[in-house]
Amino acid sequence: MVNFVGAGPGAEDLITVRGQRLIREADVIIYAGSLVNPALLKEAGEDCLIYNSAYMTLDEVISVMQAAEEKGLMTVRLHTGDPSVYGAIREQIEELKRLGIEYSICPGVSSFFAAAAALGIEYTIPEVSQSVIITRAEGRTAVPVRESLKSFAAHNSTMVIFLSAAFADKIKDELIEGGLSQSTPVAVVYKASWPDERKLFTTLGRLPETMEKEKIKKTALIIVGNVLGEYYGRTKLYDKTFSTEFRKA
Ligand code: SAH
């Protein structure tokens, strides 16, 4: 059995209770060493075999899983944040299916939740934005043309941009070309929930110089949108003139 486990955004205590239990029970752990906090591995048993996937290819990862399976051992595949977001789990799952190895997924706290917490914000505010676009700028990984940053700009929705700290110029240019103004508020969260977390507040027009000045080139999320601004609408849920299933107006 292979358990894909979301390790959370970084802080040791932001893994789920289930995820931590699976780490304790694992015979083999393959962790994404580039971003998973190694402190989480302290919970592993003494005999647990630990591999860092940063040095491995997909074939090597699958071979370790297959060898464990043949011995009836349980493998934890530890991915940063939540495995469903840029987790590269689909390609592993397809191989496991081909080999007839059972798998299960334990969700984690994605870095985009930790970033909102660090900023003290809500991504979805009435009258401002009720949608969150999770995306990335095109780098070495291609992004479908219909999902260009420029096309997303038209929605004026909250945007959370992953994997793109090195592309601040591109983000600014494409979003402005798509219709966002230079003054659109932007926040950058570097290493959300880690001890060296940093938060920057800027505007779309000043994003490249802000990133340059602070020398942030990786492990950051770029959050764009008016939910970072002053204006907000209140929800109906707690409005005294609004009846709900539980409360009369
Ligand atoms: N599955 C992960 C994302 C993996 S992709 C998740 O749910 O968070 C890796 C990218 O995620 C990084 O380039 C960065 O954009 C973002 N990221 C991961 N951890 C982060 C953190 N603690 N703070 C800010 N960004 C983070």
Side-chain angles (χ1 to χ4, degrees), residues 8-10 35 79-87 108-112 114-115 161-165 189-194 218-222:
L35 281 170
H79 281 279
T80 179
D82 181 85
S84 70
V85 185
Y86 304 111
V109 177
S110 177
S111 60
F112 84 92
I161 308 176
F162 279 74
L163 293 157
S164 304
V189 184
Y190 170 77
K191 293 190 84 176
S193 86
W194 288 77
K218 58 178 202 172
T219 327
L221 289 172
I222 298 170

PDB file of all heavy atoms in Angstrom, residues 8-10 35 79-87 108-112 114-115 161-165 189-194 218-222, ligand 1:
ATOM      1  N   GLY A   8       1.880  19.412   4.380  1.00  0.00           N
ATOM      2  CA  GLY A   8       1.600  20.771   4.840  1.00  0.00           C
ATOM      3  C   GLY A   8       2.646  21.728   4.283  1.00  0.00           C
ATOM      4  O   GLY A   8       3.587  21.331   3.597  1.00  0.00           O
ATOM      5  N   PRO A   9       2.479  23.016   4.619  1.00  0.00           N
ATOM      6  CA  PRO A   9       3.281  24.056   3.981  1.00  0.00           C
ATOM      7  C   PRO A   9       4.699  24.197   4.522  1.00  0.00           C
ATOM      8  O   PRO A   9       5.530  24.858   3.905  1.00  0.00           O
ATOM      9  CB  PRO A   9       2.482  25.324   4.278  1.00  0.00           C
ATOM     10  CG  PRO A   9       1.779  25.018   5.574  1.00  0.00           C
ATOM     11  CD  PRO A   9       1.451  23.563   5.514  1.00  0.00           C
ATOM     12  N   GLY A  10       4.984  23.614   5.659  1.00  0.00           N
ATOM     13  CA  GLY A  10       6.334  23.758   6.204  1.00  0.00           C
ATOM     14  C   GLY A  10       6.370  23.560   7.707  1.00  0.00           C
ATOM     15  O   GLY A  10       7.069  22.678   8.198  1.00  0.00           O
ATOM     16  N   LEU A  35      11.081  20.741  -0.608  1.00  0.00           N
ATOM     17  CA  LEU A  35      10.163  21.618   0.125  1.00  0.00           C
ATOM     18  C   LEU A  35       9.589  21.041   1.417  1.00  0.00           C
ATOM     19  O   LEU A  35       9.117  21.790   2.261  1.00  0.00           O
ATOM     20  CB  LEU A  35       8.985  22.021  -0.786  1.00  0.00           C
ATOM     21  CG  LEU A  35       9.270  23.129  -1.800  1.00  0.00           C
ATOM     22  CD1 LEU A  35       8.124  23.244  -2.789  1.00  0.00           C
ATOM     23  CD2 LEU A  35       9.473  24.475  -1.106  1.00  0.00           C
ATOM     24  N   HIS A  79       4.444  14.574   0.123  1.00  0.00           N
ATOM     25  CA  HIS A  79       4.506  15.721  -0.793  1.00  0.00           C
ATOM     26  C   HIS A  79       4.224  17.007  -0.035  1.00  0.00           C
ATOM     27  O   HIS A  79       3.411  17.024   0.891  1.00  0.00           O
ATOM     28  CB  HIS A  79       3.463  15.565  -1.904  1.00  0.00           C
ATOM     29  CG  HIS A  79       3.882  14.617  -2.978  1.00  0.00           C
ATOM     30  ND1 HIS A  79       4.736  14.980  -3.991  1.00  0.00           N
ATOM     31  CD2 HIS A  79       3.572  13.317  -3.186  1.00  0.00           C
ATOM     32  CE1 HIS A  79       4.925  13.932  -4.788  1.00  0.00           C
ATOM     33  NE2 HIS A  79       4.239  12.909  -4.320  1.00  0.00           N
ATOM     34  N   THR A  80       4.799  18.097  -0.490  1.00  0.00           N
ATOM     35  CA  THR A  80       4.597  19.368   0.186  1.00  0.00           C
ATOM     36  C   THR A  80       3.155  19.863   0.028  1.00  0.00           C
ATOM     37  O   THR A  80       2.500  19.579  -0.971  1.00  0.00           O
ATOM     38  CB  THR A  80       5.595  20.412  -0.355  1.00  0.00           C
ATOM     39  OG1 THR A  80       5.363  21.639   0.300  1.00  0.00           O
ATOM     40  CG2 THR A  80       5.427  20.629  -1.819  1.00  0.00           C
ATOM     41  N   GLY A  81       2.684  20.605   1.014  1.00  0.00           N
ATOM     42  CA  GLY A  81       1.341  21.184   0.952  1.00  0.00           C
ATOM     43  C   GLY A  81       0.298  20.104   0.825  1.00  0.00           C
ATOM     44  O   GLY A  81       0.285  19.133   1.579  1.00  0.00           O
ATOM     45  N   ASP A  82      -0.589  20.256  -0.154  1.00  0.00           N
ATOM     46  CA  ASP A  82      -1.551  19.214  -0.490  1.00  0.00           C
ATOM     47  C   ASP A  82      -1.115  18.593  -1.815  1.00  0.00           C
ATOM     48  O   ASP A  82      -0.764  19.316  -2.749  1.00  0.00           O
ATOM     49  CB  ASP A  82      -2.969  19.785  -0.635  1.00  0.00           C
ATOM     50  CG  ASP A  82      -3.950  18.674  -0.951  1.00  0.00           C
ATOM     51  OD1 ASP A  82      -4.427  18.038   0.006  1.00  0.00           O
ATOM     52  OD2 ASP A  82      -4.195  18.391  -2.140  1.00  0.00           O
ATOM     53  N   PRO A  83      -1.165  17.267  -1.894  1.00  0.00           N
ATOM     54  CA  PRO A  83      -0.640  16.614  -3.101  1.00  0.00           C
ATOM     55  C   PRO A  83      -1.416  16.932  -4.384  1.00  0.00           C
ATOM     56  O   PRO A  83      -0.902  16.706  -5.475  1.00  0.00           O
ATOM     57  CB  PRO A  83      -0.753  15.115  -2.786  1.00  0.00           C
ATOM     58  CG  PRO A  83      -1.095  15.001  -1.357  1.00  0.00           C
ATOM     59  CD  PRO A  83      -1.619  16.299  -0.880  1.00  0.00           C
ATOM     60  N   SER A  84      -2.631  17.458  -4.259  1.00  0.00           N
ATOM     61  CA  SER A  84      -3.436  17.686  -5.474  1.00  0.00           C
ATOM     62  C   SER A  84      -3.041  18.936  -6.239  1.00  0.00           C
ATOM     63  O   SER A  84      -3.514  19.176  -7.347  1.00  0.00           O
ATOM     64  CB  SER A  84      -4.925  17.763  -5.114  1.00  0.00           C
ATOM     65  OG  SER A  84      -5.200  18.948  -4.401  1.00  0.00           O
ATOM     66  N   VAL A  85      -2.201  19.772  -5.642  1.00  0.00           N
ATOM     67  CA  VAL A  85      -1.809  21.020  -6.304  1.00  0.00           C
ATOM     68  C   VAL A  85      -0.337  20.936  -6.704  1.00  0.00           C
ATOM     69  O   VAL A  85       0.541  20.918  -5.833  1.00  0.00           O
ATOM     70  CB  VAL A  85      -2.027  22.227  -5.350  1.00  0.00           C
ATOM     71  CG1 VAL A  85      -1.750  23.535  -6.075  1.00  0.00           C
ATOM     72  CG2 VAL A  85      -3.430  22.231  -4.796  1.00  0.00           C
ATOM     73  N   TYR A  86      -0.076  20.851  -7.996  1.00  0.00           N
ATOM     74  CA  TYR A  86       1.289  20.732  -8.525  1.00  0.00           C
ATOM     75  C   TYR A  86       2.090  19.651  -7.780  1.00  0.00           C
ATOM     76  O   TYR A  86       3.256  19.825  -7.466  1.00  0.00           O
ATOM     77  CB  TYR A  86       2.025  22.084  -8.465  1.00  0.00           C
ATOM     78  CG  TYR A  86       1.266  23.163  -9.184  1.00  0.00           C
ATOM     79  CD1 TYR A  86       0.665  24.208  -8.486  1.00  0.00           C
ATOM     80  CD2 TYR A  86       1.110  23.131 -10.554  1.00  0.00           C
ATOM     81  CE1 TYR A  86      -0.072  25.192  -9.150  1.00  0.00           C
ATOM     82  CE2 TYR A  86       0.371  24.099 -11.223  1.00  0.00           C
ATOM     83  CZ  TYR A  86      -0.212  25.120 -10.505  1.00  0.00           C
ATOM     84  OH  TYR A  86      -0.945  26.067 -11.151  1.00  0.00           O
ATOM     85  N   GLY A  87       1.405  18.535  -7.500  1.00  0.00           N
ATOM     86  CA  GLY A  87       2.043  17.485  -6.710  1.00  0.00           C
ATOM     87  C   GLY A  87       2.739  16.415  -7.546  1.00  0.00           C
ATOM     88  O   GLY A  87       3.448  15.576  -7.002  1.00  0.00           O
ATOM     89  N   GLY A 108      -3.455  17.523   2.655  1.00  0.00           N
ATOM     90  CA  GLY A 108      -2.595  18.340   3.508  1.00  0.00           C
ATOM     91  C   GLY A 108      -3.013  19.799   3.430  1.00  0.00           C
ATOM     92  O   GLY A 108      -3.871  20.175   2.629  1.00  0.00           O
ATOM     93  N   VAL A 109      -2.406  20.613   4.244  1.00  0.00           N
ATOM     94  CA  VAL A 109      -2.663  22.058   4.224  1.00  0.00           C
ATOM     95  C   VAL A 109      -1.809  22.648   3.112  1.00  0.00           C
ATOM     96  O   VAL A 109      -0.576  22.643   3.200  1.00  0.00           O
ATOM     97  CB  VAL A 109      -2.264  22.708   5.565  1.00  0.00           C
ATOM     98  CG1 VAL A 109      -2.466  24.216   5.509  1.00  0.00           C
ATOM     99  CG2 VAL A 109      -3.052  22.084   6.711  1.00  0.00           C
ATOM    100  N   SER A 110      -2.463  23.119   2.072  1.00  0.00           N
ATOM    101  CA  SER A 110      -1.687  23.680   0.957  1.00  0.00           C
ATOM    102  C   SER A 110      -1.026  24.990   1.384  1.00  0.00           C
ATOM    103  O   SER A 110      -1.516  25.710   2.255  1.00  0.00           O
ATOM    104  CB  SER A 110      -2.602  23.938  -0.230  1.00  0.00           C
ATOM    105  OG  SER A 110      -1.854  24.540  -1.261  1.00  0.00           O
ATOM    106  N   SER A 111       0.067  25.311   0.709  1.00  0.00           N
ATOM    107  CA  SER A 111       0.758  26.573   0.999  1.00  0.00           C
ATOM    108  C   SER A 111      -0.143  27.773   0.711  1.00  0.00           C
ATOM    109  O   SER A 111       0.039  28.832   1.302  1.00  0.00           O
ATOM    110  CB  SER A 111       2.052  26.676   0.203  1.00  0.00           C
ATOM    111  OG  SER A 111       1.801  26.638  -1.177  1.00  0.00           O
ATOM    112  N   PHE A 112      -1.136  27.593  -0.173  1.00  0.00           N
ATOM    113  CA  PHE A 112      -1.956  28.777  -0.436  1.00  0.00           C
ATOM    114  C   PHE A 112      -2.914  29.072   0.714  1.00  0.00           C
ATOM    115  O   PHE A 112      -3.334  30.203   0.895  1.00  0.00           O
ATOM    116  CB  PHE A 112      -2.603  28.738  -1.834  1.00  0.00           C
ATOM    117  CG  PHE A 112      -3.878  27.991  -1.996  1.00  0.00           C
ATOM    118  CD1 PHE A 112      -5.099  28.625  -1.857  1.00  0.00           C
ATOM    119  CD2 PHE A 112      -3.846  26.659  -2.357  1.00  0.00           C
ATOM    120  CE1 PHE A 112      -6.279  27.938  -2.066  1.00  0.00           C
ATOM    121  CE2 PHE A 112      -5.012  25.964  -2.574  1.00  0.00           C
ATOM    122  CZ  PHE A 112      -6.238  26.603  -2.417  1.00  0.00           C
ATOM    123  N   ALA A 114      -1.832  28.450   3.895  1.00  0.00           N
ATOM    124  CA  ALA A 114      -0.888  29.017   4.869  1.00  0.00           C
ATOM    125  C   ALA A 114      -0.564  30.468   4.513  1.00  0.00           C
ATOM    126  O   ALA A 114      -0.355  31.303   5.405  1.00  0.00           O
ATOM    127  CB  ALA A 114       0.393  28.180   4.902  1.00  0.00           C
ATOM    128  N   ALA A 115      -0.538  30.775   3.221  1.00  0.00           N
ATOM    129  CA  ALA A 115      -0.233  32.155   2.803  1.00  0.00           C
ATOM    130  C   ALA A 115      -1.368  33.091   3.219  1.00  0.00           C
ATOM    131  O   ALA A 115      -1.122  34.192   3.724  1.00  0.00           O
ATOM    132  CB  ALA A 115      -0.012  32.204   1.297  1.00  0.00           C
ATOM    133  N   ILE A 161      -0.649  32.611  -7.501  1.00  0.00           N
ATOM    134  CA  ILE A 161       0.280  32.163  -8.535  1.00  0.00           C
ATOM    135  C   ILE A 161       1.431  31.384  -7.900  1.00  0.00           C
ATOM    136  O   ILE A 161       2.192  31.917  -7.092  1.00  0.00           O
ATOM    137  CB  ILE A 161       0.789  33.358  -9.372  1.00  0.00           C
ATOM    138  CG1 ILE A 161      -0.423  34.177  -9.870  1.00  0.00           C
ATOM    139  CG2 ILE A 161       1.635  32.865 -10.552  1.00  0.00           C
ATOM    140  CD1 ILE A 161      -0.056  35.433 -10.630  1.00  0.00           C
ATOM    141  N   PHE A 162       1.468  30.102  -8.242  1.00  0.00           N
ATOM    142  CA  PHE A 162       2.492  29.180  -7.734  1.00  0.00           C
ATOM    143  C   PHE A 162       3.707  29.192  -8.658  1.00  0.00           C
ATOM    144  O   PHE A 162       3.614  29.558  -9.827  1.00  0.00           O
ATOM    145  CB  PHE A 162       1.937  27.742  -7.714  1.00  0.00           C
ATOM    146  CG  PHE A 162       1.064  27.402  -6.541  1.00  0.00           C
ATOM    147  CD1 PHE A 162      -0.228  27.895  -6.446  1.00  0.00           C
ATOM    148  CD2 PHE A 162       1.527  26.566  -5.526  1.00  0.00           C
ATOM    149  CE1 PHE A 162      -1.047  27.560  -5.364  1.00  0.00           C
ATOM    150  CE2 PHE A 162       0.715  26.223  -4.447  1.00  0.00           C
ATOM    151  CZ  PHE A 162      -0.574  26.722  -4.365  1.00  0.00           C
ATOM    152  N   LEU A 163       4.810  28.670  -8.167  1.00  0.00           N
ATOM    153  CA  LEU A 163       5.961  28.275  -8.987  1.00  0.00           C
ATOM    154  C   LEU A 163       6.481  29.369  -9.914  1.00  0.00           C
ATOM    155  O   LEU A 163       7.050  29.081 -10.953  1.00  0.00           O
ATOM    156  CB  LEU A 163       5.555  27.050  -9.853  1.00  0.00           C
ATOM    157  CG  LEU A 163       5.269  25.761  -9.081  1.00  0.00           C
ATOM    158  CD1 LEU A 163       4.366  24.847  -9.886  1.00  0.00           C
ATOM    159  CD2 LEU A 163       6.570  25.042  -8.755  1.00  0.00           C
ATOM    160  N   SER A 164       6.265  30.622  -9.551  1.00  0.00           N
ATOM    161  CA  SER A 164       6.545  31.686 -10.517  1.00  0.00           C
ATOM    162  C   SER A 164       7.333  32.855  -9.947  1.00  0.00           C
ATOM    163  O   SER A 164       7.340  33.936 -10.539  1.00  0.00           O
ATOM    164  CB  SER A 164       5.217  32.199 -11.089  1.00  0.00           C
ATOM    165  OG  SER A 164       4.484  31.148 -11.641  1.00  0.00           O
ATOM    166  N   ALA A 165       8.015  32.645  -8.825  1.00  0.00           N
ATOM    167  CA  ALA A 165       8.751  33.753  -8.213  1.00  0.00           C
ATOM    168  C   ALA A 165       9.803  34.332  -9.159  1.00  0.00           C
ATOM    169  O   ALA A 165      10.156  35.509  -9.054  1.00  0.00           O
ATOM    170  CB  ALA A 165       9.401  33.289  -6.907  1.00  0.00           C
ATOM    171  N   VAL A 189       4.173  35.890  -0.463  1.00  0.00           N
ATOM    172  CA  VAL A 189       4.502  35.202   0.783  1.00  0.00           C
ATOM    173  C   VAL A 189       5.603  34.193   0.480  1.00  0.00           C
ATOM    174  O   VAL A 189       5.430  33.269  -0.317  1.00  0.00           O
ATOM    175  CB  VAL A 189       3.287  34.501   1.421  1.00  0.00           C
ATOM    176  CG1 VAL A 189       3.678  33.883   2.760  1.00  0.00           C
ATOM    177  CG2 VAL A 189       2.134  35.475   1.600  1.00  0.00           C
ATOM    178  N   TYR A 190       6.738  34.412   1.126  1.00  0.00           N
ATOM    179  CA  TYR A 190       7.892  33.528   0.980  1.00  0.00           C
ATOM    180  C   TYR A 190       7.901  32.568   2.161  1.00  0.00           C
ATOM    181  O   TYR A 190       7.741  32.991   3.308  1.00  0.00           O
ATOM    182  CB  TYR A 190       9.169  34.380   0.962  1.00  0.00           C
ATOM    183  CG  TYR A 190      10.460  33.596   1.050  1.00  0.00           C
ATOM    184  CD1 TYR A 190      10.956  32.924  -0.062  1.00  0.00           C
ATOM    185  CD2 TYR A 190      11.185  33.548   2.238  1.00  0.00           C
ATOM    186  CE1 TYR A 190      12.144  32.206   0.011  1.00  0.00           C
ATOM    187  CE2 TYR A 190      12.372  32.834   2.315  1.00  0.00           C
ATOM    188  CZ  TYR A 190      12.847  32.165   1.200  1.00  0.00           C
ATOM    189  OH  TYR A 190      14.014  31.450   1.287  1.00  0.00           O
ATOM    190  N   LYS A 191       7.985  31.288   1.868  1.00  0.00           N
ATOM    191  CA  LYS A 191       8.066  30.241   2.892  1.00  0.00           C
ATOM    192  C   LYS A 191       6.995  30.388   3.989  1.00  0.00           C
ATOM    193  O   LYS A 191       7.305  30.421   5.192  1.00  0.00           O
ATOM    194  CB  LYS A 191       9.469  30.172   3.488  1.00  0.00           C
ATOM    195  CG  LYS A 191      10.494  29.683   2.452  1.00  0.00           C
ATOM    196  CD  LYS A 191      11.836  29.360   3.047  1.00  0.00           C
ATOM    197  CE  LYS A 191      11.918  27.977   3.636  1.00  0.00           C
ATOM    198  NZ  LYS A 191      13.280  27.661   4.114  1.00  0.00           N
ATOM    199  N   ALA A 192       5.762  30.448   3.563  1.00  0.00           N
ATOM    200  CA  ALA A 192       4.643  30.548   4.511  1.00  0.00           C
ATOM    201  C   ALA A 192       4.747  29.457   5.576  1.00  0.00           C
ATOM    202  O   ALA A 192       4.988  28.292   5.241  1.00  0.00           O
ATOM    203  CB  ALA A 192       3.319  30.393   3.752  1.00  0.00           C
ATOM    204  N   SER A 193       4.612  29.857   6.804  1.00  0.00           N
ATOM    205  CA  SER A 193       4.599  28.992   8.003  1.00  0.00           C
ATOM    206  C   SER A 193       5.977  28.468   8.434  1.00  0.00           C
ATOM    207  O   SER A 193       6.085  27.797   9.453  1.00  0.00           O
ATOM    208  CB  SER A 193       3.616  27.815   7.870  1.00  0.00           C
ATOM    209  OG  SER A 193       4.206  26.711   7.222  1.00  0.00           O
ATOM    210  N   TRP A 194       7.031  28.749   7.669  1.00  0.00           N
ATOM    211  CA  TRP A 194       8.394  28.382   8.101  1.00  0.00           C
ATOM    212  C   TRP A 194       8.915  29.477   9.041  1.00  0.00           C
ATOM    213  O   TRP A 194       8.431  30.606   9.011  1.00  0.00           O
ATOM    214  CB  TRP A 194       9.335  28.286   6.898  1.00  0.00           C
ATOM    215  CG  TRP A 194       9.129  27.109   5.988  1.00  0.00           C
ATOM    216  CD1 TRP A 194       8.135  26.971   5.053  1.00  0.00           C
ATOM    217  CD2 TRP A 194       9.908  25.917   5.905  1.00  0.00           C
ATOM    218  NE1 TRP A 194       8.263  25.774   4.390  1.00  0.00           N
ATOM    219  CE2 TRP A 194       9.346  25.107   4.892  1.00  0.00           C
ATOM    220  CE3 TRP A 194      11.046  25.457   6.591  1.00  0.00           C
ATOM    221  CZ2 TRP A 194       9.874  23.858   4.550  1.00  0.00           C
ATOM    222  CZ3 TRP A 194      11.557  24.214   6.232  1.00  0.00           C
ATOM    223  CH2 TRP A 194      10.977  23.416   5.230  1.00  0.00           C
ATOM    224  N   LYS A 218      12.371  31.911  -5.216  1.00  0.00           N
ATOM    225  CA  LYS A 218      11.660  30.628  -5.151  1.00  0.00           C
ATOM    226  C   LYS A 218      10.883  30.499  -3.836  1.00  0.00           C
ATOM    227  O   LYS A 218      10.952  31.383  -2.984  1.00  0.00           O
ATOM    228  CB  LYS A 218      12.617  29.459  -5.341  1.00  0.00           C
ATOM    229  CG  LYS A 218      13.742  29.409  -4.331  1.00  0.00           C
ATOM    230  CD  LYS A 218      14.588  28.182  -4.588  1.00  0.00           C
ATOM    231  CE  LYS A 218      15.343  27.814  -3.331  1.00  0.00           C
ATOM    232  NZ  LYS A 218      16.048  26.561  -3.402  1.00  0.00           N
ATOM    233  N   THR A 219      10.155  29.391  -3.716  1.00  0.00           N
ATOM    234  CA  THR A 219       9.347  29.073  -2.537  1.00  0.00           C
ATOM    235  C   THR A 219       8.461  30.243  -2.109  1.00  0.00           C
ATOM    236  O   THR A 219       8.394  30.600  -0.927  1.00  0.00           O
ATOM    237  CB  THR A 219      10.220  28.609  -1.352  1.00  0.00           C
ATOM    238  OG1 THR A 219      11.341  27.904  -1.862  1.00  0.00           O
ATOM    239  CG2 THR A 219       9.443  27.700  -0.429  1.00  0.00           C
ATOM    240  N   ALA A 220       7.803  30.831  -3.086  1.00  0.00           N
ATOM    241  CA  ALA A 220       6.921  31.952  -2.769  1.00  0.00           C
ATOM    242  C   ALA A 220       5.613  31.830  -3.545  1.00  0.00           C
ATOM    243  O   ALA A 220       5.568  31.219  -4.614  1.00  0.00           O
ATOM    244  CB  ALA A 220       7.601  33.265  -3.125  1.00  0.00           C
ATOM    245  N   LEU A 221       4.588  32.413  -2.986  1.00  0.00           N
ATOM    246  CA  LEU A 221       3.307  32.529  -3.688  1.00  0.00           C
ATOM    247  C   LEU A 221       3.062  33.999  -3.950  1.00  0.00           C
ATOM    248  O   LEU A 221       3.362  34.848  -3.102  1.00  0.00           O
ATOM    249  CB  LEU A 221       2.177  31.970  -2.825  1.00  0.00           C
ATOM    250  CG  LEU A 221       2.165  30.456  -2.666  1.00  0.00           C
ATOM    251  CD1 LEU A 221       1.116  30.053  -1.638  1.00  0.00           C
ATOM    252  CD2 LEU A 221       1.883  29.779  -3.995  1.00  0.00           C
ATOM    253  N   ILE A 222       2.528  34.278  -5.136  1.00  0.00           N
ATOM    254  CA  ILE A 222       2.194  35.650  -5.491  1.00  0.00           C
ATOM    255  C   ILE A 222       0.671  35.731  -5.530  1.00  0.00           C
ATOM    256  O   ILE A 222       0.025  34.981  -6.269  1.00  0.00           O
ATOM    257  CB  ILE A 222       2.837  36.024  -6.841  1.00  0.00           C
ATOM    258  CG1 ILE A 222       4.362  35.928  -6.687  1.00  0.00           C
ATOM    259  CG2 ILE A 222       2.404  37.426  -7.287  1.00  0.00           C
ATOM    260  CD1 ILE A 222       5.126  36.038  -7.978  1.00  0.00           C
TER     261      ILE A 222
HETATM  262  N1  SAH B   1       1.509  20.961  -3.350  1.00  0.00           N
HETATM  263  C1  SAH B   1       2.103  22.199  -2.912  1.00  0.00           C
HETATM  264  C2  SAH B   1       2.652  23.016  -4.066  1.00  0.00           C
HETATM  265  C3  SAH B   1       3.840  22.357  -4.742  1.00  0.00           C
HETATM  266  S1  SAH B   1       4.502  23.318  -6.040  1.00  0.00           S
HETATM  267  C4  SAH B   1       1.080  22.981  -2.082  1.00  0.00           C
HETATM  268  O1  SAH B   1      -0.065  22.555  -1.936  1.00  0.00           O
HETATM  269  O2  SAH B   1       1.447  24.030  -1.530  1.00  0.00           O
HETATM  270  C5  SAH B   1       5.766  24.221  -5.247  1.00  0.00           C
HETATM  271  C6  SAH B   1       5.409  25.679  -5.164  1.00  0.00           C
HETATM  272  O3  SAH B   1       4.475  25.852  -4.120  1.00  0.00           O
HETATM  273  C7  SAH B   1       6.533  26.620  -4.834  1.00  0.00           C
HETATM  274  O4  SAH B   1       7.239  27.017  -5.993  1.00  0.00           O
HETATM  275  C8  SAH B   1       5.808  27.793  -4.248  1.00  0.00           C
HETATM  276  O5  SAH B   1       5.195  28.575  -5.262  1.00  0.00           O
HETATM  277  C9  SAH B   1       4.700  27.092  -3.491  1.00  0.00           C
HETATM  278  N2  SAH B   1       5.024  26.832  -2.083  1.00  0.00           N
HETATM  279  C10 SAH B   1       5.185  25.634  -1.483  1.00  0.00           C
HETATM  280  N3  SAH B   1       5.384  25.787  -0.156  1.00  0.00           N
HETATM  281  C11 SAH B   1       5.349  27.125   0.072  1.00  0.00           C
HETATM  282  C12 SAH B   1       5.431  27.924   1.246  1.00  0.00           C
HETATM  283  N4  SAH B   1       5.603  27.381   2.455  1.00  0.00           N
HETATM  284  N5  SAH B   1       5.317  29.267   1.110  1.00  0.00           N
HETATM  285  C13 SAH B   1       5.117  29.826  -0.099  1.00  0.00           C
HETATM  286  N6  SAH B   1       5.011  29.130  -1.229  1.00  0.00           N
HETATM  287  C14 SAH B   1       5.113  27.789  -1.152  1.00  0.00           C
END
